[in-house]
Amino acid sequence: MGILIKNGTVVSATESKSLDVLIEGETIACVDVGIGEDGHEVVDASGLLVMPGGIDVHTHLDMPFGGTTSADDYTTGTQAAAAGGTTMLIDFALQSQGHTMREAFDVWRAKSKGKACVDYSLHMAVTDLGLGDEAEGEQRGLREMEEMVAEGISSFKLFMAYPGVLMIDDGLMFKVMQKAAALNALCCVHAENGSAIDVVVAQMIAEGKTAPHYHALSRSPKAEAEATHRAIALADMAGAAVYIVHLSNEDSLAALKFMQSRGAKALAETCTQYLVLSIEDQMPGKSWDEAKYVFTPPLRERWNQAPLWDALADGALAVVSTDHCPFRFADQKELGRGDFRKIPNGGPGVENRLQILWHFGVNAGRISPERFVALSATNPAKIFGMEKQKGRIAEGLDADILLWDTKAEYTISAATQRMATDYSMFEGWKVVGNAAKVYSRGELVVDNVAQPGKFLGATGRGRFVKREANAGGFA
Ligand SMILES: [Zn+2]
């Protein structure tokens, strides 16, 4: 028989109601008041919130960077996600220059094969369109975009930063955006003016400014704001929907809102770290320890946090993700001692996203529980073309369900986390509100009450989710 979750409060993006939820097999069979027990396994959710499992649309598992590889593979990364209540990830396949998107797709599918423990999908990062084909009159890469959409990859990532490695020029970006518009695909953009930033970086290194602190100072919020405006303007010209990833500061937010007010199909996420960490608090320029917080875009001045929270509440920002890209402090961040350019960029966060968003968002009165659900699950599913399968507690959808205990106290620490790093960005922080039980397609995969943090499912049970091209929900 099924699993019947009784006496809980079901929270959607718009309302909270006392409802029972019946799971049959991998799907939600019924959501109603007073569902009969009929021999089902009854789970008493008294006092708990019943929410859709979290969806983190920005992670980098098993990703090569500067001669090393991010510390979480698909097994530890997805298990850490589940421990924190997240049941679906979208990671990035990175096309390298001179190679095809198909190759990148195959490489990333191989990384996850037999390892992913919750469901996942991929964005395709486009770095090269290859040569033209005389017969078809179009570059190879543009045709490959069609193939990728057919594979269920309905979002393409474009980098305006990292010249010579990932950055593409405006012309190439515009071509991809035109093609994306024709395919109803979504363009995800890392918006920073990489060329200008590289000039500042070189000047700082020449002046002997090599500590982690200078990584943050070398990447001005203005460089991000300029690129944010440019990305949205180009997408608007091309008729494409655009999603700005990891928007970190008020200047960029102003650019986003301006273009939204002009009718551009523009969406954006921010990440947990920008909401609660700052240059002043985490990287004042005093020690090598600050390498733990070297990621891109960098931490900003603390005053930027309030406008980001306001934008999460009022809808200018649609999603909170993590940009989870973990590197160990002892032997990986170490690669950049004496030269901040060589510090692997990224931090561990996938496990703590919901805890941080709840504690500093809902508990602090900045967002409602319904908005929490919208930002963490419902909007990501809608924007990224999987709302018929994920992101809501509704009949027929995958039974990715989170039983959330609003009173549970939890202390974040590297000593107890599932992520494979030797540090936490939130070490020792006490939060209130945590996942009690987590179901992935109807299977109880985490029970933080009985066996805290332990992954109860089989390794490799996670499935690749094909996503529809729906132009970020604007279609
Ligand atoms: Zn990223």
Side-chain angles (χ1 to χ4, degrees), residues 58 60 92 157 246 323:
H58 192 155
H60 299 280
F92 291 84
K157 172 86 173 281
H246 50 44
D323 197 5

Side-chain angles (χ1 to χ4, degrees), residues 1-237:
M1 299 310 285
I3 299 171
L4 179 59
I5 300 171
K6 285 194 82 73
N7 310 319
T9 300
V10 174
V11 186
S12 75
T14 52
E15 61 183 1
S16 298
K17 277 186 176 173
S18 296
L19 291 166
D20 297 341
V21 179
L22 177 63
I23 302 170
E24 283 183 345
E26 299 190 341
T27 55
I28 297 170
C30 185
V31 184
D32 207 344
V33 285
I35 299 175
E37 299 193 6
D38 290 338
H40 298 307
E41 174 191 341
V42 175
V43 176
D44 183 10
S46 297
L48 301 177
L49 302 184
V50 182
M51 308 196 286
I55 300 174
D56 191 338
V57 300
H58 192 155
T59 66
H60 299 280
L61 305 177
D62 200 359
M63 189 192 82
F65 189 105
T68 188
T69 303
S70 61
D72 278 312
D73 64 8
Y74 271 81
T75 298
T76 61
T78 52
Q79 291 190 356
T86 290
T87 50
M88 167 88 203
L89 306 179
I90 310 183
D91 208 88
F92 291 84
L94 304 182
Q95 180 201 23
S96 39
Q97 285 167 353
H99 295 267
T100 64
M101 293 175 210
R102 173 63 61 181
E103 287 175 75
F105 178 75
D106 291 343
V107 165
W108 257 267
R109 290 300 304 276
K111 285 173 189 283
S112 54
K113 194 163 191 283
K115 299 191 107 178
C117 297
V118 297
D119 293 350
Y120 67 99
S121 182
L122 295 166
H123 310 280
M124 177 58 64
V126 179
T127 60
D128 187 359
L129 291 181
L131 300 172
D133 180 311
E134 284 177 31
E136 306 204 21
E138 193 174 61
Q139 284 167 284
R140 184 203 67 226
L142 296 173
R143 292 195 306 279
E144 272 205 293
M145 286 174 67
E146 295 176 28
E147 282 180 43
M148 291 299 115
V149 168
E151 293 282 6
I153 306 233
S154 57
S155 46
F156 295 90
K157 172 86 173 281
L158 304 167
F159 287 90
M160 300 169 84
Y162 308 120
V165 187
L166 295 167
M167 189 175 101
I168 57 176
D169 67 30
D170 291 352
L172 199 152
M173 184 162 72
F174 187 63
K175 280 187 197 173
V176 173
M177 287 170 160
Q178 286 182 322
K179 186 71 178 182
L183 294 171
N184 259 346
L186 182 63
C187 294
C188 300
V189 180
H190 176 137
E192 277 189 306
N193 187 317
S195 303
I197 286 170
D198 269 16
V199 172
V200 179
V201 167
Q203 288 165 348
M204 283 186 165
I205 294 292
E207 290 166 17
K209 295 171 175 170
T210 60
H213 172 65
Y214 293 103
H215 168 82
L217 298 188
S218 70
R219 311 185 80 90
S220 166
K222 292 184 198 310
E224 186 185 331
E226 181 277 322
T228 298
H229 181 274
R230 181 161 37 109
I232 300 172
L234 290 173
D236 199 27
M237 278 172 65

